Amino acid sequence: MSTHVTRSPVPPLDDLVERLRTIWDSACFTNDGPLVQEFEQILRERLEVPLGFATANGTLALQLAFSGLELSGEVITTPLSFVATSSSLQWMGLTPVFADVDAETWTLDPESCRERITPRTSAILATHIYGLPCDVDGLGAVAREHDLALVFDASHTFGCRYRGRPLASYGDVSTLSFHATKPFHTAEGGFVCATADGVAHRARIQRNFGFDGLDSLQVPGINAKLSELHAALGLCLLPGVERGIEARRARFESYRAALAPAGERARLARIPDDLDYNYAYCPVLLESEEAVRRAWMALLDLDVYARRYFDPPLNRLPWTSAQRTPVAEDLCPRLLCLPIFEELPDREPERIASALLRSLDGGGVAPPSAGTSGA
Ligand SMILES: *Cc1c(COP(=O)(O)O)cnc(C)c1O
């Protein structure tokens, strides 16, 4: 069987059937039903965000964040992310303006953001890429100085704690994705974490067509509700989250040990001391795009499908404007994500890492660029 970069956790079927039985009994499938309410309550406590709520997916969570904050004009954002980070801006009529990332942390560089501010700028949208924390203090300072909203795409962060609190609790608004490929999932789903009452209220009613109460419609909304079926799946998967992190941590450490001989030629993400990481991704930075091609082919020989998350940089897409971001443009083609998930056999990281190490000196042909297809 082929090995992919991740494998979605599956709950015990009996647990899910038990949850589904309550839906069958009540015939309540959606519209803020009891399972969504229970799910949201647990997540608000877990994420330490009293005003959080669930959405149908992570892209709509981003869009509700922008509309809740009443953003307009330009939003400064990162080229190193999944396409939805910037396409969601464009879908909302906002203009993504790309700043560069930091070469060490791979996240948005506050100084580069500062240089891209214009009178039309309304917010900074940064991604905690692979669950690694942005410079929350630096970005916060720039946002405060220029009266900008600070939004974090925290799609990759479920289970990450940074400086003693959940990483998704930072910023004016943070959003998560619960897509099946993410560190925790509801098949499709998302979450909005807002800190201000007004923003949370606006975003929340816009999730349900703009209904505020039974028949009051003051703002135009959309349908971004999570269904009871999706909430049932999430409730069944929550108890396994810590076990999943622990299993991935062990595999990450195996990769680290096995790749150590390559030093900077195959460098793993640097995990800050004050981060409790969720080990949802295992990105490795190689010396060149050519090295990535050779590694990708070498792993394919083992029936292992590594992914080029996230290439190309988003400022190189045909529909975005081409602000130059030299650091991101250098990093994106050199990043390769290795398989990491609970069921990955114990010895696989070692086998994958040795094939990768051998490929650093071998030959190969070009793989397709995979950064913009699939999550
Ligand atoms: C997956 C992802 C999204 C989109 O989430 P969906 O739930 O798939 O809509 C947004 N941003 C990032 C960084 C992602 O990885």
Side-chain angles (χ1 to χ4, degrees), residues 33-269:
L35 295 181
V36 164
Q37 287 186 28
E38 180 182 346
F39 179 65
E40 288 181 328
Q41 187 54 36
I42 293 172
L43 286 195
R44 279 193 288 266
E45 281 162 23
R46 234 195 123 97
L47 297 170
E48 299 175 29
V49 287
L51 302 173
F53 59 86
T55 58
N57 59 59
T59 305
L60 284 163
L62 282 165
Q63 293 177 192
L64 288 173
F66 310 151
S67 66
L69 287 160
E70 302 182 279
L71 302 187
S72 63
E74 298 170 358
V75 174
I76 297 172
T77 188
T78 175
L80 208 178
S81 190
F82 180 59
V83 63
T85 308
S86 62
S87 60
S88 59
L89 288 169
Q90 272 166 310
W91 196 255
M92 292 296 288
L94 298 161
T95 307
V97 171
F98 294 94
D100 212 345
V101 299
D102 179 271
E104 285 301 304
T105 66
W106 306 342
T107 61
L108 207 48
D109 174 3
E111 286 318 306
S112 178
C113 291
R114 203 188 293 278
E115 289 165 11
R116 302 289 152 96
I117 293 172
T118 74
R120 285 172 45 75
T121 309
S122 63
I124 296 174
L125 168 62
T127 301
H128 300 300
I129 192 75
Y130 312 122
L132 304 167
C134 293
D135 178 353
V136 291
D137 291 339
L139 293 171
V142 176
R144 261 193 318 279
E145 270 168 48
H146 296 270
D147 200 20
L148 307 175
L150 181 56
V151 184
F152 288 114
D153 183 337
S155 292
H156 302 167
T157 70
F158 198 85
C160 290
R161 291 183 75 83
Y162 184 51
R163 298 183 187 159
R165 55 187 255 219
L167 186 50
S169 68
Y170 288 85
D172 295 314
V173 182
S174 278
T175 65
L176 293 113
S177 164
F178 298 152
H179 183 258
T181 57
K182 301 293 152 85
F184 163 75
H185 80 98
T186 57
E188 294 275 2
F191 207 76
V192 176
C193 308
T195 49
D197 278 323
V199 174
H201 180 71
R202 211 166 19 252
R204 201 188 161 92
I205 64 176
Q206 286 181 323
R207 174 185 63 164
N208 184 27
F209 306 102
F211 280 111
D212 189 4
L214 262 188
D215 48 21
S216 166
L217 282 167
Q218 306 298 332
V219 289
I222 195 166
N223 180 2
K225 299 187 299 295
L226 190 74
S227 84
E228 290 288 280
L229 296 165
H230 294 87
L233 181 56
L235 285 165
C236 294
L237 284 167
L238 276 170
V241 167
E242 306 308 327
R243 195 189 60 230
I245 293 176
E246 199 41 46
R248 295 194 300 266
R249 191 186 60 75
R251 283 149 188 82
F252 192 95
E253 293 307 334
S254 303
Y255 277 123
R256 200 205 297 274
L259 290 172
E264 288 297 295
R265 295 187 70 199
R267 123 151 153 70
L268 290 180

Side-chain angles (χ1 to χ4, degrees), residues 259-291:
L259 290 172
E264 288 297 295
R265 295 187 70 199
R267 123 151 153 70
L268 290 180
R270 297 204 208 291
I271 298 169
D273 288 338
D274 37 14
L275 175 71
D276 295 324
Y277 188 41
N278 64 9
Y279 300 95
Y281 297 84
C282 187
V284 56
L285 183 67
L286 303 182
E287 281 182 311
S288 62
E289 183 165 19
E290 183 49 33

